[in-house]
């Protein structure tokens, strides 16, 4: 129903909405894959959005493999949105997350964690055509480059009950290289300038797509687009870089002309 | 034993070690407070190090209040080190954290979480003299400025079973201001340049102290000091800023002359 509604709305208001992203649920994995196919092939969705967990389960479980396989074949992007609520505690000795920490820090932690799971489960190695667009500039990933880089170059040195050394050696490349080269990231960091610069420096320019998280700001919609544009403009990006971030990368990854 | 050993070693090798930080355990809170006092007043420690949780418990529990009260009176710094292991799961449906995610992302998540707990439990409001030095440039805090800022300006809007709106209004200042103004942060980000710039832009220069996390690098000690120095030097900081970061801030916060 949601996807039929999106298709209808965007067909009517093409000037405002040059494209739309399908919602699919992986709770019933087969139905989710079928809906992804229907939305992309029949309804014209640019791609699909999934969440960083499926009712609490990590997205690298075997039952979701048909989804990664089919999206790899379809070659359409997957928007990866964080999901977590207060029921995910922050401390071993607690039963829930307090003060909305699950949202403020947890969502961006979970974005990074989902990326790591896709890397170490070899879903990335086995599906080289996946186009995964992470929200919020990859969450905590740009800030933790040193931990993902030299830190995970010694994966296995902190673990005795799993053979992570063998796993690391069996990967096609260095863990950090997946995070830098194989994921896309959007610019929605709620109007924060240091984070924007950190994200821009971490991800290659061809992997960055504009987003603002409108309308989820204290002004109910006006603030985050305005602030995100203001920050990007303040950086004096050259025209080629700006065009890529504002629309060309998204056109390339969706294989669609979105801006006339 | 550890602290007596530190005191003895540093007295002998003053040219190499101009100061040392006491280890204290809050597992038996009274004994921890007594040892903090002994280390600072009798052994000459610069301050004390604690961890972001105490055997799985958050550091804002009532039994730890005497520690915050006494450190506020002593006016000596507290180094806050992250702690978490694989037993802290990343997903609701799992029993442990895989692939050392608990270390790579979890430690920096937990640093931010501990800071948030100190803010929202009002330990910061009630102990304005605390000098808390967070490790790894405050963990994920600089990257998540937008979530801590505008995101927590509407604390309570995502919660129905606690009155977080009343809590927010009863705080002495905006949540983001505590993170920016009331904590110190060190520069140990494992040789990552974007993260270093992000941290430098997030925290006021008076709150930043040099650290490298030596010897925990793939070269067993040489790499992180070398890379951290290289990055800081590449930024062409003015002399005043560099001096503050390299030693003057630490001298000020410890009230001690450390560099001759």
């Amino acid at each position: 129903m949601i996807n039929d509604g999106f298709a209808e709305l965007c067909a009517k208001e093409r000037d405002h909405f040059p494209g739309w992203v399908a919602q699919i649920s992986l709770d019933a994995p087969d139905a989710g894959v079928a809906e992804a196919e229907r939305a992309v092939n029949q309804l014209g969705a640019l791609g699909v959005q999934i969440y960083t967990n499926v009712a609490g389960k990590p997205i690298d479980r075997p039952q979701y493999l048909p989804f990664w396989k089919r999206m790899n074949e379809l070659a359409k992007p997957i928007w990866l949105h964080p999901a977590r609520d207060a029921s995910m505690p922050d401390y071993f000795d607690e039963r829930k997350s307090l003060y909305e920490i699950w949202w403020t820090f947890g969502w961006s932690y979970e974005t990074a964690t989902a990326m790591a799971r896709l890397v170490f489960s070899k879903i990335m190695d086995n599906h080289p055509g996946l186009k995964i667009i992470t929200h919020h500039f990859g969450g905590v990933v740009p800030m933790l480059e040193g931990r993902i880089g030299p830190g995970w170059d010694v994966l296995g040195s902190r673990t005795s009950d799993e053979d992570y050394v063998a796993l690391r050696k069996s990967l096609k490349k260095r863990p950090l290289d997946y995070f830098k080269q194989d994921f896309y990231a959007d610019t929605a960091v709620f109007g924060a300038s240091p984070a924007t610069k950190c994200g821009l420096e971490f991800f290659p320019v061809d992997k960055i797509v504009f987003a603002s998280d409108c309308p989820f700001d204290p002004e109910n919609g006006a603030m985050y687009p305005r602030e995100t544009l203001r920050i990007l403009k303040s950086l004096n990006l050259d025209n080629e870089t700006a065009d890529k971030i504002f629309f060309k990368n998204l056109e390339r990854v969706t294989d669609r002309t979105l801006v006339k």
Side-chain angles (χ1 to χ4, degrees), chain A:
Chain A
M1 282 174 63
I2 289 171
N3 295 331
D4 289 336
F6 272 138
E8 193 186 323
L9 182 70
C10 294
K12 260 193 224 161
E13 307 283 352
R14 191 157 287 280
D15 285 349
H16 281 96
F17 305 118
W20 60 283
V21 179
Q23 297 290 313
I24 68 146
S25 167
L26 291 175
D27 225 3
D30 289 355
V33 174
E35 180 62 7
E37 240 180 287
R38 186 184 81 99
V40 166
N41 287 339
Q42 294 178 33
L43 301 180
L46 296 179
V48 305
Q49 176 171 274
I50 63 164
Y51 292 86
T52 48
N53 70 69
V54 184
K57 297 178 185 68
I59 53 179
D60 58 359
R61 288 271 167 92
Q63 62 264 42
Y64 310 128
L65 280 179
F67 170 75
W68 302 110
K69 184 169 180 289
R70 194 69 190 105
M71 290 308 297
N72 189 56
E73 292 160 357
L74 286 171
K76 292 291 181 186
I78 300 161
W79 275 262
L80 184 63
H81 196 288
R84 177 175 277 202
D85 64 22
S87 65
M88 187 71 200
D90 299 311
Y91 292 88
F92 198 80
D93 196 54
E94 291 189 329
R95 304 297 293 273
K96 64 176 206 170
S97 174
L98 302 191
Y99 311 123
E100 299 175 359
I101 290 170
W102 57 269
W103 179 88
T104 310
F105 304 142
W107 277 21
S108 286
Y109 178 77
E110 182 138 343
T111 297
T113 295
M115 293 164 77
R117 298 290 293 243
L118 293 172
V119 169
F120 293 117
S121 65
K122 302 197 181 175
I123 286 172
M124 301 307 285
D125 271 351
N126 295 332
H127 306 87
L130 284 177
K131 300 168 173 176
I132 298 171
I133 303 177
T134 62
H135 207 3
H136 310 128
F137 248 135
V140 301
V141 162
M143 187 70 198
L144 302 184
E145 176 177 359
R147 304 181 75 84
I148 300 169
W152 258 335
D153 286 342
V154 294
L155 172 67
S157 64
R158 307 167 192 92
T159 306
S160 54
D161 61 346
E162 303 275 355
D163 190 358
Y164 286 149
V165 174
L167 170 63
R168 166 164 51 85
K169 290 181 177 168
S170 72
L171 290 171
K172 287 191 180 158
K173 53 188 174 186
R174 188 184 180 202
L176 179 63
D177 291 345
Y178 294 93
F179 288 84
K180 275 199 179 276
Q181 299 165 4
D182 292 3
F183 291 94
Y184 293 76
D186 78 32
T187 62
V189 289
F190 312 99
S193 178
T196 303
K197 294 177 198 165
C198 193
L200 282 171
E201 195 170 337
F202 181 87
F203 290 102
V205 68
D206 285 336
K207 299 291 190 183
I208 300 168
V209 297
F210 178 79
S212 70
D213 232 336
C214 170
F216 300 109
D217 60 61
E219 298 176 20
N220 294 318
M223 177 182 170
Y224 288 159
R226 180 184 71 230
E227 290 301 302
T228 308
L229 288 168
R230 182 186 61 73
I231 291 165
L232 287 170
K233 283 178 180 168
S234 78
L235 299 176
N236 296 316
L237 306 172
D238 63 73
N239 286 345
E240 196 190 333
T241 300
D243 283 354
K244 282 182 176 179
I245 293 173
F246 284 121
F247 68 98
K248 283 194 176 165
N249 287 341
L250 190 64
E251 289 193 332
R252 194 186 75 246
V253 76
T254 57
D255 196 21
R256 197 83 71 83
T257 302
L258 297 168
V259 174
K260 288 166 198 164

